Amino acid sequence: MDFQEITRQARQAAAELLAAARLAPGSILVVGCSSSEILGRRIGHGSSMEAAAAVFAGLQPVAAEAGVYLAAQCCEHLNRAIVLEAAALPPGAEPVSVIPQPKAGGSFATTCWQHFERPVALEGIRAHAGMDIGDTLIGMHLKPVAVPVRLSLNRIGDANLVCARTRPKFIGGARAVYAPEV
């Protein structure tokens, strides 16, 4: 597997998603990443710290340049908990006590934990945008109204890539006037 190509794909996907989502500095981008799927294996059956590191190397600089925080979704063995920077904790958020490992949390969450300045884990979050690499099902961690974002690529390595941004709910009816989408 060409890990430099994985990094390039991740960087491109992040740049396209952040441009489409128009996230404000301080926003959160949740990423679910199956390193197994990236390598062409079945999710949960071939975790790779090298593939996770390649994805992180592509995503983190793009997010940091935009002032956006990455949030890594852990695998189902940690109930899809979230790893993020302590500086990104939403008001009232209650951290949980767990440190992800490649086989209990996943390689990407482990990589983020190792590279974040002050990592914390939460049971859940409501992120402003999301990137699902390898069918990890990140929807539970997005704000309620998610809008699909189509990128110029739909795979990172061999893994399916699905992205979304969120927007405020439209309320009212036929006479309601809505603010331009953010």
Side-chain angles (χ1 to χ4, degrees):
M1 179 61 58
D2 183 351
F3 293 117
Q4 288 181 337
E5 178 62 10
I6 300 301
T7 298
R8 187 200 65 73
Q9 290 171 342
R11 183 181 308 114
Q12 178 181 340
E16 289 182 23
L17 175 57
L18 292 182
R22 299 181 304 265
L23 299 179
S27 296
I28 297 173
L29 169 64
V30 65
V31 178
C33 177
S34 171
S35 60
S36 302
E37 291 277 334
I38 289 171
L39 298 179
R41 299 184 183 109
R42 198 171 103 222
I43 193 169
H45 291 84
S47 190
S48 166
M49 290 296 290
E50 295 84 4
V55 170
F56 184 83
L59 299 180
Q60 180 62 18
V62 176
E65 184 177 322
V68 170
Y69 291 104
L70 282 183
Q73 176 182 272
C74 295
C75 71
E76 64 183 295
H77 295 100
L78 294 186
N79 298 329
R80 293 191 173 87
I82 293 292
V83 171
L84 75 161
E85 289 281 7
L89 278 174
E94 289 288 329
V96 295
S97 181
V98 71
I99 298 173
Q101 305 297 308
K103 299 288 186 182
S107 292
F108 185 71
T110 301
T111 298
C112 289
W113 186 275
Q114 292 170 347
H115 287 87
F116 285 172
E117 188 174 316
R118 288 186 40 232
V120 294
L122 298 174
E123 285 188 277
I125 199 160
R126 291 287 179 218
H128 303 91
M131 182 178 289
D132 186 323
I133 306 167
D135 305 318
T136 61
L137 303 175
I138 62 165
M140 67 191 280
H141 295 300
L142 291 172
K143 288 181 178 259
V145 182
V147 179
V149 174
R150 303 283 185 243
L151 306 180
S152 66
L153 62 162
N154 60 9
R155 300 186 89 67
I156 292 182
D158 288 338
N160 292 327
L161 174 64
V162 177
C163 295
R165 64 178 178 83
T166 62
R167 64 162 176 76
K169 294 178 182 180
F170 292 150
I171 62 169
R175 292 185 250 173
V177 177
Y178 302 109
E181 284 198 45
V182 290

